Amino acid sequence: MSDEPAAERVGALAPFHNPTFGVLWAGVVFSSIGAWAQTVGAQWLFINDPNAATIVSLVQTAATLPMMLFSLAAGVLADAFDRGRILLWVQVYFLVVAGLLAALTALDRMPPLLLLAFTFAIGVGNAVLVSTWQPLITELVPRAHLAAAIRLDMVSVNVARAVGPAIAGVVIAAWGVPPVFALNAALTLFLIVALLTWRRPARDAPSAARERFLPALRTGGRYVRHEPVVRLILTRLAIFVAPATAMWALLALIANRQLGLGADGYGFLYGALGVGAVAAAFTVGRLGGRFSANTLLSVMAIVYGAAFALTMAMPGIAGALPLLVVLGYAWTATVAILNAELQLFLPGWVRARAVAVYMMTFTGAQALASPVWGLLAQHVSLAAAVWIASALVVLGGLVGFAWHFPESSGLDRSPLAFWNDAMLVVEPEPDAGPVQVNVEYVVEQANYAAWRTAMDGMRRSRLRSGASRWDLYRVGERADTYLEVFTVPSWAEHLHQHQTRLTAEDQAIEEHAFSFTALPPKAEHLLPTDPD
């Protein structure tokens, strides 16, 4: 927490000092406005169908499920290739798919299943877009501005949630759904132009060869699995989003059945959510200077649950709008805090992949939970679905008071190549593997307990940086001698450990473990033999 006040001296708009960030941010806003307008159009297209509750919730699932399925693969691409070019091709893809959707809907050739298929296809593009854009932010702004930039990214999402549905409501009321889909296609053009005119600065040549797709995919998953802070952030995210997403899944039904609103009124509800979201983006930073991230997350969950439950007591839009502002505030504050804590914690080499896992968790929780809330609303009642979801959000907030993760703002996550080069008599091929690394320790009995505890941190460091297996042995032939053994899938993977994946935290873990040894540890590399 000691670094928080310093961080708060950075203004909420400081990232806009970089004009490239501002232009690309605006392009993402326009693209997101079109995407949210498209979602509202898809949900409203079948609002009068007898199975509307199920169809509306399935639209939400079709839009978010691709994020769960494809985000990690998209993160691998974003860690390996030019993120600007990936964003450009994604926008071209959006233009083509959204144009086809508009044309077929205008021709009255859009049954529910085909609509869900198009929504899924657009969701695939969103998986690549988000997994590329969020890590790109770290290239556009200095670390001191990163938390503010992430909050501004939440503004872009929630301005889109406010403006997109509001525009969609007006357009649907005046001309129907097809023009909304055409608008989505048109709004991709701004970001396409911005990306075509952006001249990305030349970057230093990487110190190691580009990782191959499948090994990089496995390594990203391995990092998340063996990093407890990341796992805890993802758990807090899922505990909040799974019940809280009932608000997004059921909002069309709340507007139509509880509040008696049409498409334009539905758009106003989204507008209220957007107002709350924008307010959160500009005030959460100040709150973060006074309270820990963990405390804010719990308070926001309790506030969200209470406001959502109260929507079922409102007979009209006048009472519902203030509650929607509160919901927009609490949702955005929660997502922004968790996103910022994650990105500040992550080392650069795995950032896109870990952010992709974050997005998989975020959207996967929505995709899996949304149909549950829709079915509960259809087969029990809308009020029951809202109240159960509200209670679960509040319960998660209460649990969060005792379930803390460390604050990330003061960490140094830059790569630190502190391992000595391996002194080999033969240079293996990059694909040679698996490679086994043995490190011998001599530890006197008086220091054994402390050293053994320190080696738990070593295990975590080895596994999250690329090792697929880790073991610790006592050498039977020599007193006070122990052998650390970790296996890496290939020599190239081990070189990545040497050159790009270690941080100051890993160095501190090693130095702490080595401080208990009687002699300097000795390492050797066991390589595959040549085939017969």
Side-chain angles (χ1 to χ4, degrees), residues 35-396:
W36 276 100
Q38 187 271 335
T39 298
V40 171
Q43 290 179 322
W44 207 261
L45 189 60
F46 294 100
I47 194 64
N48 294 317
D49 190 278
N51 298 312
T54 301
I55 294 174
V56 167
S57 60
L58 284 176
V59 167
Q60 177 91 352
T61 298
T64 55
L65 185 60
M67 196 75 72
M68 184 175 65
L69 298 177
F70 303 116
S71 286
L72 185 54
V76 172
L77 297 177
D79 273 333
F81 295 98
D82 187 311
R83 291 168 182 163
R85 289 187 178 275
I86 294 174
L87 284 180
L88 176 60
W89 285 111
V90 168
Q91 292 305 302
V92 173
Y93 169 83
F94 280 148
L95 181 63
V96 173
V97 175
L100 285 173
L101 175 60
L104 290 173
T105 305
L107 295 172
D108 198 21
R109 297 289 188 270
M110 190 54 59
L113 285 178
L114 186 58
L115 175 67
L116 293 174
F118 268 97
T119 304
F120 185 88
I122 291 174
V124 172
N126 280 327
V128 180
L129 172 67
V130 174
S131 298
T132 305
W133 164 245
Q134 291 205 359
L136 183 62
I137 293 174
T138 64
E139 298 181 31
L140 301 175
V141 301
R143 181 178 173 84
H145 294 176
L146 182 57
I150 290 171
R151 290 195 291 269
L152 287 171
D153 186 46
M154 293 298 102
V155 170
S156 76
V157 172
N158 291 288
V159 164
R161 278 181 173 161
V163 176
I167 292 175
V170 172
V171 172
I172 292 169
W175 300 290
V177 172
V180 174
F181 297 155
L183 177 67
N184 182 28
L187 287 176
T188 63
L189 295 174
F190 185 95
L191 188 52
I192 288 175
V193 172
L195 290 165
L196 286 172
T197 57
W198 177 34
R199 294 294 177 263
R200 190 182 189 192
R203 305 178 68 190
D204 294 337
S207 57
R210 176 181 292 155
E211 295 183 68
R212 295 187 177 184
F213 182 83
L214 288 178
L217 194 69
R218 289 191 291 266
T219 301
R222 195 178 297 125
Y223 176 87
V224 172
R225 186 166 70 251
H226 293 291
E227 178 44 69
V229 173
V230 173
R231 292 202 313 268
L232 183 53
I233 291 174
L234 297 179
T235 301
R236 293 287 299 266
L237 178 70
I239 287 174
F240 173 79
V241 169
T245 198
M247 186 269 294
W248 301 105
L250 301 176
L251 189 59
L253 299 176
I254 293 172
N256 184 261
R257 299 179 184 179
Q258 173 68 18
L259 304 176
L261 302 176
D264 51 352
Y266 181 40
F268 281 121
L269 296 184
Y270 265 99
L273 288 168
V275 169
V278 172
F282 286 95
T283 59
V284 167
R286 297 192 192 97
L287 293 176
R290 299 183 178 183
F291 305 100
S292 72
N294 292 280
T295 298
L296 285 175
L297 289 171
S298 291
V299 170
M300 289 299 112
I302 293 169
V303 169
Y304 187 99
F308 190 35
L310 287 173
T311 59
M312 297 312 297
M314 296 298 114
I317 191 171
L321 285 177
L323 294 175
L324 269 292
V325 171
V326 172
L327 288 169
Y329 187 101
W331 175 277
T332 300
T334 299
V335 175
I337 290 169
L338 288 168
N339 194 323
E341 289 297 316
L342 179 70
Q343 294 223 40
L344 287 168
F345 180 83
L346 292 170
W349 69 270
V350 75
R351 179 172 286 117
R353 280 165 281 183
V355 168
V357 175
Y358 172 94
M359 295 309 304
M360 288 169 63
T361 305
F362 178 66
T363 55
Q366 294 181 75
L368 295 175
S370 291
V372 174
W373 301 120
L375 290 170
L376 190 60
Q378 181 169 330
H379 296 291
V380 182
S381 71
L382 178 61
V386 170
W387 290 335
I388 292 172
S390 299
L392 291 175
V393 174
V394 171
L395 180 61

